[in-house]
Amino acid sequence: MSLTCPSCAAGETHSPCRSPCPRTPRMGCRTWPRAFSGSRRPPGPFPCCLLVLLSRFLWDHGDIAFAPLGKLMLENFKLEGARSRSKKTTVVSVKRLLQDLDGHQPWGCPWAYLSYRQRRFSILGGPILGKSVANLLGDLLHEELVMRWEQLLLDDAFTGGALAWVPGKTPRVGQLVYPAGSTLDKLYFQEVSLTPGGNPQVLRDPGHIQLRGPVRQVVTRTVQGESLLAVRSDYHCALWKVSRQGRPAPLQVLQVEKGATGISLSPHLPGELAVCSRSGAICLWTPQDGLRRVYKDPDTLVFRDPSPWRWADFTAHPRVLTVGDRTGVKIVDTQGPPGCGLLLFRGGAEASCQKGERVLLTQYLGEGSPESLHSTLHLICTQFSLYLVDERLPLVPMLKWNHGLPSAPLLARLLPPPGPGCPRPLLLGGQDGQLQLLHITGEEASTPRLAGPPQSLPSRNDSLSAFPVLEPKSQWRLQERLKAPTIGLAAAIPPSTSTPILSLFQLSAAGDVFHQCLRLQADPGPDSCAPTVSWSPQATACCSQWLKALLEVPPAPPVWAAPTFSHRRLLGCVEQREVEGKVPEGLRAAMAEGRLLQQRDLGSLPTAEPPPAPEPGPDDELSKRLEAAWEGQAAAWWERRQGRSSGPRQQPKRHKRRTQLSSTFSSLSGRLELSDVTSPPPSPDPEARPRPPGTPPSQELAQEHWARGVPSERQQTLRDYMAKLPLREDALEDASAPPSQTSSIRATRSRQRTLQDNTAKPPLQRDTPEGAFVPSSQTSSIQATPSRQQTPVLSGSQRIRKKPRMGF
Amino acid sequence: MSDFSEELIKSTTEDDQGERCELSGTGMHFPWLQKHIETVATGGKKEKDFAQTTSACLSFIQEALLKHQWQQAAEYMHSYLQVLEDSDSCKRQAAPEIIWKLGSEILYYHPKSNVEAFNAFADRMKNIGVMNYLKISLQHALYLLHHGMLEDANRNLSQAETWRYGEKSSSQEVLINLIQAYKGLLQYYAWSKKKMELSQLDKDDYAYNTASQNMLDHSWKTSVNLGALIQIPGVWDPFVKSYVEMLEFYGDQDGAREVLTNYAYDEKFPSNPNAHIYLYNFLKREKAPREKLISVLKILYQIVPSHKLMLEFHRLLRKSEKEEHHKLGLEVLFAVLDFAGCTKNITAWKYLAKYLRQTLMGSHLAWVQEEWSSRKNWWPGFHFSYFWAKSDWKEDKALACEKALVAGVLSGKGCRYFRYISKQDHQVFRKKIKRMKKLVKKYSIINPGL
């Protein structure tokens, strides 16, 4: 059952006969996408329109297009059954081929082996299938690669967040709305009761609605007593009205052909919804007039940027919207003539933006009610900073603060003030789980300010230490689970008796919901210790249950793993030899399964003596050089030696300046040691220690180093001998200075770790990890805003950029 | 001198660094990407140990600051100062600014820090590198101001004012102007304190003359200091306000008018509603003609239609003789009530109710219809919903009555808001409601023929 192809009889490189059609030696994806992508498509035998038709035909009627070819090539493929006896290289095993195409990676590296088999297939099929198929696949591949790369750089699908808190009948009860399921296409409604103690309780099992696509954004608003819920999927948006009993009733479903990038609900009029599409259009849906396009511009606002991301939100005027893209934000009157508008924010000099700075999120901070003090403020987040812009004074930000988040800030929530006269908390969430809490103050007539220094809240990762110690593999799985990106943030303030409480919910991409409880703390004063962070007993119980459930689920095989070297083959070779050897079976089994090695796996191994450590003899230049030469770094050694003589010249001047400076801090920290028992002693910093004049900086350390392995009675002799050697200091400094420097850092690092141990936190609750509702309770505290307001000093150079202004 | 020459070449090297993280080709900068693909970004070379250590130290400081662990931050800072000796000149030059920002923040919040420590730190930082001298001086002065040490702040600013390095660059110039302006602001403060004292003194008093002489000296100095900054496009509200106050005090009305007109109308300045408010208030004090006041407020109306001065604008328009002003008066009232922040402004509703009646009595139905046509599909839901009828009646019955009258006139007797309020029975408001019903019957623009 095999048909030999005359053109090619073997895999490509070893083939004695070359195929007649010209082919590049590497037919990988490297050459495809470029040649045929976009406008650079070379003029082929077909006109372009025909190519489109053809590709559609190939897609839709693959059976007709490929069946005759398939029949012709039948003999080149082994469909099933035993190994082909002919051993001809022109016969391809379909089973294997399909396995390869499915991403099956028996050899660890998907490319190393796959290319060989697939290349054979492509050589066989290439001349017959024709170029159009290759073009089509090339385009698809290119598209996919571009998408993957963009996603890796910035995954903005979940901008705005997919977790929402819908208030219920009483202020204590509400519903969390979030997507779950493996493809996030089930919208869950979980009723939660907030207790005055800060431990939320889950009431009943969650209800859910099955949707047709993954949920990317969940928005909720309560306007004039009506709770509304809007959901954005990739190509659909939907709107529900939530009754006082908590039942959602569908109002409208909208289809967005080019893909939706953002939705927002009006804070002024019940049921009004703004939808943004990738095509650059902004539509407003109202219950009275239905859907209406209010803005359309495929280009970006300020300068050209390839991102199709668009965003829209409402303003203090119910008929005026903000329209945002990566380059800026514009105010657009939906009733005015199309195309007109006023720039509210521009990525440029007015806001003193950095190079490459782009808008990631814009949000209207006002709420429909006229009591709100910030009814004209808008929040704009970029990779670097956070801006507050007043729509009455466009372009010049009222406040700029460098948030320094190590991931994209795609989530923000402004909360009502915890008490009368208190500043309003603003939560800023990074994609990787970092949370920052800012306090914004400022009456209607004055500029908004930050009240007190911003604060970072413990993230999910910080709770790792509160879990019991697990074996490494499980620990790793737990860590990965906690590390999943944050895709939703919601907060609720339960009516509290004494101290205001803030209940914070986070949704992770793995489908877990975490809970944090923050308590308002009165001004801590100078002598207060760090806020205590702890788990309640319920939380601990819930977390251990959740962990158990998590570890019971078998780990999913990775869909795609980074290429590694094929170790299986190596292992195979070793195995054969080892069968004759003495290494017990258990060890090999453990290695193969990748589980923790235990004593019983090892059996009784002979206890080997540790190899004798090399005697550290006195260092000299020759041996140093030989050593360097042996490692192939003779040139580097030479350079180091040469550089040495010029190095120390600059040392004294800089040194002096630094010690002067450091005294500011050292005196400060030194004094504090007495009062604060918990603080560890300052790390010894040999570099900053003042030295007697004339002593080279490293000498004392260096001598200690070389003298270590030498009997004390002989050290003096050695020292004398060493003094005679040329370049003694330099050679030694090389060896000793770096360790001394890193050691001080290492010490501080471990200290940091112990501090984190105290700040343990998360989960609680029941349920399986799949689509689990796992709120984690954590008690830390919001420090009440100190009476000292933000000063010019704090904001650094931003103060200068921010123009001073008075009220209106 | 090595620092100086290094800083001069700084601008070129900085750009190179910026490019490193732009791997997307889109021009966007991804700060979080760098740590994931460090080796790609640095071309396969691993960062040196020292660079790794300092960047780790920096992140520890930032973390400590965000956790409000000031003492820890101070300890890390102590180690971080080593970065000043980085062999990478790029990093070494960026270091002073980072150290200053973090260090001043630590010293500001540290429970055990004091002004002396801050002063010592600032003075040393000013002299590490030349580029930060002015910035640090200004921020140092602001710190002192915040602690009520006006004289020290003034001395500091005077010192910075005379400082020069090399050719005056544009960024330096703006900073020097700012420093001078802040100095002027301090002098204004002293001046206005003296003015207060003077107003309490008797004119025949011996001390009066010396005090007034003192004031004169001050004003001359201040006008020099403030004048320069105000010429540069920007938002300089406090400076302009104090400058104008001094000019006015010494009778330089023309000078003050020029400053304010320039501040409000110069195209190069960003659109700033406050500029128009200052100008309006000045003209009002000057008793300028109504026409002039209207023209100033007309511009403010275009920028911020929701401003509380708009009600005053409406009064001016109402009193005007021109018909077009009367029409604009109606427009202004509608525009004020469009905004979410003004929905409960009872004065605005009262004015609208009254003016609607007046306009309709003057048989200008077309004006009302014109305004209403763009609002009729959303005002009923926004203002005249059943929800608001209930809550307004509960919270503010007078407001509810005014709103109900407007609702009745604009959307007829069938309007839910009007129906709800007219059904209410209340001793105090019974008469008012009755009158409201009568007015609605007479003037409602729905079915005007009946």
Side-chain angles (χ1 to χ4, degrees):
Chain A
M1 271 281 283
S2 71
L3 179 138
T4 38
C5 168
S7 65
C8 178
E12 58 153 12
T13 38
H14 305 290
S15 159
C17 80
R18 293 263 169 218
S19 97
C21 59
R23 59 190 166 89
T24 47
R26 278 169 194 273
M27 251 180 86
C29 54
R30 280 167 42 156
T31 49
W32 276 0
R34 280 189 134 229
F36 305 116
S37 68
S39 56
R40 273 176 293 169
R41 189 191 295 274
F46 299 116
C48 247
C49 55
L50 208 65
L51 209 64
V52 173
L53 285 178
L54 187 66
S55 78
R56 243 182 236 159
F57 169 73
L58 293 178
W59 263 121
D60 298 341
H61 305 284
D63 48 345
I64 299 173
F66 300 116
L69 289 174
K71 271 181 199 149
L72 271 177
M73 294 181 71
L74 203 57
E75 295 182 30
N76 286 72
F77 292 99
K78 186 160 66 71
L79 294 176
E80 55 185 39
R83 185 182 283 265
S84 161
R85 262 170 235 154
S86 62
K87 292 224 168 190
K88 275 179 189 149
T89 42
T90 52
V91 179
V92 177
S93 160
V94 173
K95 193 179 157 200
R96 288 273 179 92
L97 193 69
L98 290 178
Q99 270 180 355
D100 289 348
L101 292 173
D102 281 346
H104 173 71
Q105 294 164 24
W107 302 98
C109 173
W111 299 323
Y113 183 74
L114 213 96
S115 58
Y116 155 67
R117 198 181 290 152
Q118 292 203 323
R119 224 168 270 163
R120 199 143 48 113
F121 170 62
S122 81
I123 290 161
L124 270 176
I128 305 169
L129 286 174
K131 253 195 176 162
S132 55
V133 179
N135 288 359
L136 188 64
L137 282 174
D139 277 354
L140 289 173
L141 183 67
H142 185 234
E143 208 174 282
E144 175 77 12
L145 284 175
V146 167
M147 201 192 74
R148 290 279 173 111
W149 177 236
E150 270 167 11
Q151 230 171 42
L152 189 75
L153 289 171
L154 172 67
D155 190 4
D156 57 8
F158 291 100
T159 307
L163 178 68
W165 173 260
V166 183
K169 274 176 288 184
T170 62
R172 256 186 223 306
V173 183
Q175 283 190 97
L176 278 177
V177 184
Y178 56 93
S182 54
T183 49
L184 296 175
D185 57 352
K186 272 186 193 160
L187 192 65
Y188 274 80
F189 293 79
Q190 174 68 63
E191 209 166 319
V192 175
S193 151
L194 302 164
T195 59
N199 284 317
Q201 261 154 19
V202 171
L203 310 169
R204 275 178 260 149
D205 280 345
H208 77 263
I209 297 175
Q210 178 75 45
L211 301 173
R212 284 244 186 106
V215 173
R216 304 293 185 194
Q217 193 187 351
V218 180
V219 184
T220 175
R221 286 268 191 195
T222 303
V223 187
Q224 297 187 11
E226 274 182 50
S227 291
L228 289 137
L229 180 78
V231 162
R232 166 169 65 91
S233 177
D234 285 339
Y235 295 96
H236 291 91
C237 299
L239 186 66
W240 282 271
K241 191 176 153 177
V242 184
S243 69
R244 287 186 74 77
Q245 283 74 39
R247 279 199 202 90
L251 282 183
Q252 185 70 31
V253 178
L254 304 168
Q255 191 183 350
V256 187
E257 211 159 273
K258 287 274 160 71
T261 57
I263 49 167
S264 38
L265 276 169
S266 168
H268 312 297
L269 283 155
E272 295 205 346
L273 177 73
V275 181
C276 318
S277 125
R278 269 173 206 283
S279 63
I282 312 290
C283 295
L284 182 68
W285 186 83
T286 56
Q288 296 89 27
D289 302 344
L291 195 66
R292 196 162 63 89
R293 196 174 77 189
V294 294
Y295 182 81
K296 163 102 194 186
D297 187 3
D299 295 326
T300 41
L301 292 170
V302 183
F303 49 85
R304 197 179 283 269
D305 187 274
S307 171
W309 179 83
R310 296 290 183 278
W311 198 257
D313 209 336
F314 289 80
T315 66
H317 191 297
R319 278 292 168 270
V320 177
L321 296 180
T322 57
V323 173
D325 60 36
R326 293 269 178 252
T327 65
V329 182
K330 196 177 182 180
I331 311 176
V332 172
D333 185 356
T334 60
Q335 293 180 321
C340 71
L342 198 68
L343 268 183
L344 175 69
F345 178 84
R346 171 158 61 192
E350 290 92 347
S352 46
C353 290
Q354 291 185 41
K355 198 174 162 199
E357 189 162 350
R358 297 287 187 276
V359 176
L360 295 178
L361 177 72
T362 80
Q363 199 168 322
Y364 172 51
L365 295 183
E367 288 135 17
S369 62
E371 291 88 22
S372 144
L373 293 175
H374 303 286
S375 65
T376 53
L377 278 188
H378 294 258
L379 171 79
I380 289 165
C381 290
T382 67
Q383 316 91 297
F384 305 108
S385 299
L386 161 158
Y387 301 87
L388 289 183
V389 189
D390 194 307
E391 61 186 53
R392 296 172 296 182
L393 185 73
L395 288 178
V396 185
M398 310 287 267
L399 185 137
K400 172 173 175 163
W401 183 68
N402 188 349
H403 57 66
L405 280 174
S407 61
L410 297 180
L411 307 163
R413 296 278 180 276
L414 184 72
L415 307 170
C422 288
R424 298 185 68 174
L426 173 70
L427 281 167
L428 192 65
Q431 215 171 8
D432 288 352
Q434 302 89 358
L435 271 180
Q436 285 184 356
L437 180 66
L438 296 90
H439 298 278
I440 292 178
T441 175
E443 307 301 312
E444 183 90 32
S446 70
T447 51
R449 288 186 313 256
L450 287 185
Q455 201 175 0
S456 74
L457 302 180
S459 70
R460 275 173 282 139
N461 258 338
D462 293 339
S463 65
L464 195 66
S465 53
F467 285 97
V469 178
L470 300 164
E471 58 180 54
K473 217 173 175 188
S474 308
Q475 182 81 9
W476 182 80
R477 279 179 66 190
L478 173 63
Q479 210 172 338
E480 285 297 300
R481 183 81 172 197
L482 291 173
K483 252 202 294 195
T486 309
I487 58 168
L489 182 67
I493 299 184
S496 174
T497 44
S498 51
T499 48
I501 292 177
L502 174 65
S503 270
L504 200 63
F505 299 94
Q506 286 181 61
L507 173 68
S508 82
D512 301 321
V513 178
F514 293 84
H515 171 253
Q516 244 172 313
C517 176
L518 304 163
R519 261 173 253 281
L520 186 75
Q521 217 177 42
D523 195 340
D527 296 321
S528 77
C529 52
T532 50
V533 179
S534 62
W535 278 6
S536 66
Q538 297 106 297
T540 316
C542 165
C543 282
S544 60
Q545 248 178 23
W546 171 76
L547 182 62
K548 219 170 119 190
L550 170 70
L551 296 177
E552 270 167 15
V553 178
V559 180
W560 185 86
T564 50
F565 289 106
S566 164
H567 54 265
R568 180 70 77 80
R569 201 178 262 169
L570 273 176
L571 207 67
C573 301
V574 175
E575 250 170 12
Q576 283 171 352
R577 255 189 287 132
E578 273 172 358
V579 172
E580 294 124 43
K582 292 166 278 188
V583 179
E585 199 76 8
L587 172 63
R588 223 172 331 111
M591 294 279 279
E593 287 167 34
R595 68 180 157 81
L596 189 68
L597 202 62
Q598 285 163 337
Q599 189 55 50
R600 61 182 152 81
D601 295 326
L602 297 171
S604 55
L605 279 177
T607 48
E609 285 288 318
E615 289 273 308
D619 282 349
D620 63 345
E621 197 192 347
L622 180 65
S623 59
K624 274 265 152 192
R625 201 175 85 200
L626 282 175
E627 205 176 291
W630 185 249
E631 287 164 11
Q633 290 165 344
W637 177 84
W638 180 248
E639 261 175 37
R640 225 164 32 230
R641 230 203 86 173
Q642 292 293 95
R644 185 71 55 215
S645 48
S646 62
R649 238 181 277 152
Q650 285 186 335
Q651 210 86 339
K653 199 180 79 192
R654 294 196 181 288
H655 177 68
K656 187 176 151 213
R657 168 214 279 173
R658 207 203 46 229
T659 42
Q660 267 184 349
L661 259 179
S662 63
S663 65
T664 314
F665 287 93
S666 62
S667 65
L668 204 57
S669 47
R671 246 186 300 139
L672 291 163
E673 244 86 70
L674 301 171
S675 60
D676 197 331
V677 239
T678 54
S679 91
S683 56
D685 188 350
E687 284 291 302
R689 203 188 302 163
R691 292 187 188 87
T695 319
S698 57
Q699 197 177 9
E700 39 184 334
L701 290 161
Q703 289 188 346
E704 281 157 25
H705 180 76
W706 63 254
R708 217 175 284 148
V710 184
S712 57
E713 66 273 16
R714 298 204 56 196
Q715 277 184 9
Q716 188 52 47
T717 332
L718 245 177
R719 211 168 277 138
D720 296 339
Y721 171 70
M722 293 288 285
K724 299 245 159 33
L725 279 175
L727 284 169
R728 172 183 54 99
E729 289 152 17
D730 302 343
L732 285 166
E733 183 187 8
D734 221 16
S736 63
S740 73
Q741 193 177 56
T742 42
S743 70
S744 73
I745 295 300
R746 216 168 282 146
T748 55
R749 209 178 258 165
S750 63
R751 202 193 308 160
Q752 177 75 12
R753 202 163 296 138
T754 52
L755 268 165
Q756 274 179 357
D757 288 350
N758 306 338
T759 64
K761 70 155 224 189
L764 95 176
Q765 234 53 48
R766 22 108 268 172
D767 220 322
T768 59
E770 224 60 54
F773 177 79
V774 186
S776 73
S777 125
Q778 185 221 345
T779 348
S780 72
S781 56
I782 324 170
Q783 295 197 348
T785 53
S787 49
R788 287 191 283 187
Q789 301 293 358
Q790 193 206 14
T791 59
V793 198
L794 173 95
S795 56
S797 63
Q798 290 150 17
R799 184 61 178 198
I800 291 160
R801 294 184 198 131
K802 211 190 92 192
K803 316 289 193 304
R805 47 194 311 282
M806 296 286 275
F808 295 101
Chain B
M1 284 304 279
S2 64
D3 284 351
F4 290 12
S5 49
E6 274 168 7
E7 291 201 14
L8 293 176
I9 54 163
K10 182 181 171 186
S11 54
T12 51
T13 46
E14 236 175 4
D15 287 348
D16 297 344
Q17 269 209 323
E19 300 283 341
R20 287 202 337 201
C21 304
E22 285 173 24
L23 291 157
S24 62
T26 62
M28 185 168 173
H29 195 290
F30 297 97
W32 49 84
L33 201 65
Q34 200 172 12
K35 63 172 191 286
H36 297 307
I37 40 175
E38 196 79 88
T39 44
V40 182
T42 54
K45 272 184 279 176
K46 242 190 132 200
E47 257 194 334
K48 276 188 292 176
D49 290 349
F50 184 65
Q52 281 181 354
T53 312
T54 48
S55 71
C57 189
L58 181 62
S59 62
F60 283 152
I61 297 174
Q62 282 162 342
E63 205 180 307
L65 284 179
L66 278 171
K67 288 184 175 162
H68 296 189
Q69 297 164 341
W70 313 116
Q71 184 178 329
Q72 291 237 328
E75 279 166 28
Y76 290 131
M77 195 71 204
H78 188 199
S79 311
Y80 186 70
L81 298 175
Q82 285 193 34
V83 80
L84 287 172
E85 282 171 39
D86 200 321
S87 56
D88 181 352
S89 70
C90 232
K91 286 207 176 129
R92 192 167 61 232
Q93 270 147 45
E97 198 175 340
I98 298 171
I99 292 178
W100 164 250
K101 274 191 189 167
L102 298 176
S104 56
E105 191 173 340
I106 295 168
L107 288 176
Y108 184 74
Y109 288 109
H110 200 296
K112 301 279 166 81
S113 96
N114 50 25
V115 179
E116 285 77 44
F118 193 94
N119 285 347
F121 177 61
D123 285 337
R124 273 171 199 157
M125 285 311 296
K126 277 178 206 171
N127 294 311
I128 295 182
V130 288
M131 292 312 189
N132 300 314
Y133 186 91
L134 291 176
K135 256 188 221 175
I136 294 176
S137 292
L138 186 58
Q139 286 170 20
H140 187 194
L142 292 172
Y143 173 88
L144 291 170
L145 268 183
H146 197 265
H147 285 76
M149 303 164 76
L150 301 189
E151 287 196 3
D152 292 88
N154 197 19
R155 199 168 42 243
N156 227 298
L157 290 171
S158 306
Q159 254 173 34
E161 194 183 17
T162 52
W163 182 88
R164 287 286 179 284
Y165 170 69
E167 273 182 47
K168 212 170 168 185
S169 64
S170 58
S171 63
Q172 258 187 59
E173 198 166 359
V174 173
L175 274 174
I176 286 177
N177 276 330
L178 255 179
I179 284 170
Q180 282 175 341
Y182 269 105
K183 215 181 133 195
L185 209 59
L186 275 178
Q187 284 160 351
Y188 162 79
Y189 181 73
W191 175 84
S192 85
K193 234 165 80 180
K194 287 223 166 65
K195 202 175 93 174
M196 282 276 284
E197 283 167 19
L198 202 62
S199 67
Q200 284 157 3
L201 281 177
D202 191 8
K203 272 205 178 180
D204 304 323
D205 199 329
Y206 168 74
Y208 185 84
N209 275 329
T210 29
S212 63
Q213 187 59 41
N214 253 338
M215 276 181 68
L216 272 175
D217 288 354
H218 266 290
S219 96
W220 178 78
K221 272 194 262 170
T222 314
S223 61
V224 171
N225 281 328
L226 288 173
L229 181 75
I230 292 171
Q231 302 300 320
I232 306 167
V235 181
W236 310 118
D237 292 352
F239 303 105
V240 170
K241 244 175 110 173
S242 42
Y243 188 43
V244 166
E245 191 187 331
M246 294 175 88
L247 287 175
E248 268 188 279
F249 186 81
Y250 291 104
D252 187 2
Q253 306 296 334
D254 294 335
R257 190 180 308 110
E258 199 195 318
V259 166
L260 284 173
T261 316
N262 185 48
Y263 191 53
Y265 294 128
D266 195 327
E267 295 262 302
K268 286 191 284 266
F269 281 66
S271 143
N272 180 357
N274 289 340
H276 300 278
I277 295 163
Y278 296 152
L279 183 61
Y280 171 74
N281 287 333
F282 172 78
L283 291 173
K284 213 168 116 184
R285 280 195 299 271
E286 246 197 345
K287 306 232 168 3
R290 190 193 292 148
E291 202 65 18
K292 180 98 190 158
L293 294 177
I294 286 177
S295 75
V296 174
L297 284 183
K298 218 173 187 170
I299 294 171
L300 182 64
Y301 166 66
Q302 271 149 20
I303 306 174
V304 186
S306 62
H307 198 274
K308 56 177 183 283
L309 272 180
M310 286 304 115
L311 295 179
E312 208 170 316
F313 184 39
H314 167 76
R315 283 199 298 273
L316 282 174
L317 290 169
R318 205 165 54 189
K319 280 184 214 149
S320 164
E321 283 89 40
K322 282 191 194 162
E323 185 136 294
E324 58 170 309
H325 283 170
H326 293 165
K327 191 180 172 212
L328 187 62
L330 187 70
E331 213 179 299
V332 166
L333 282 180
F334 270 104
V336 165
L337 289 168
D338 277 350
F339 283 86
C342 308
T343 49
K344 296 209 169 163
N345 189 334
I346 186 165
T347 325
W349 283 110
K350 218 180 246 170
Y351 280 1
L352 184 62
K354 204 171 143 193
Y355 202 61
L356 267 179
R357 212 181 78 199
Q358 213 175 315
T359 313
L360 289 170
M361 257 168 33
S363 63
H364 289 298
L365 179 68
W367 294 358
V368 180
Q369 273 172 339
E370 190 186 316
E371 291 304 316
W372 183 240
S373 67
S374 65
R375 293 179 172 89
K376 67 177 173 219
N377 59 350
W378 62 278
W379 264 40
F382 184 51
H383 287 306
F384 307 139
S385 64
Y386 185 69
F387 175 86
W388 284 127
K390 251 170 57 179
S391 94
D392 286 345
W393 183 254
K394 209 166 136 197
E395 283 167 22
D396 189 349
K397 295 193 170 52
L399 172 75
C401 285
E402 298 297 341
K403 267 179 88 172
L405 175 57
V406 176
V409 169
L410 292 173
S411 39
K413 277 191 285 187
C415 173
R416 299 180 82 177
Y417 197 98
F418 175 75
R419 277 206 328 239
Y420 183 85
I421 303 294
S422 58
K423 271 188 218 150
Q424 298 304 316
D425 190 35
H426 193 273
Q427 275 186 342
V428 184
F429 290 92
R430 196 172 293 153
K431 221 171 134 189
K432 209 168 180 180
I433 291 172
K434 211 172 165 187
R435 201 174 136 253
M436 178 185 85
K437 283 187 200 164
K438 223 168 83 185
L439 285 172
V440 167
K441 204 171 176 185
K442 199 168 165 193
Y443 293 114
S444 180
I445 61 166
I446 308 291
N447 305 326
L450 297 174

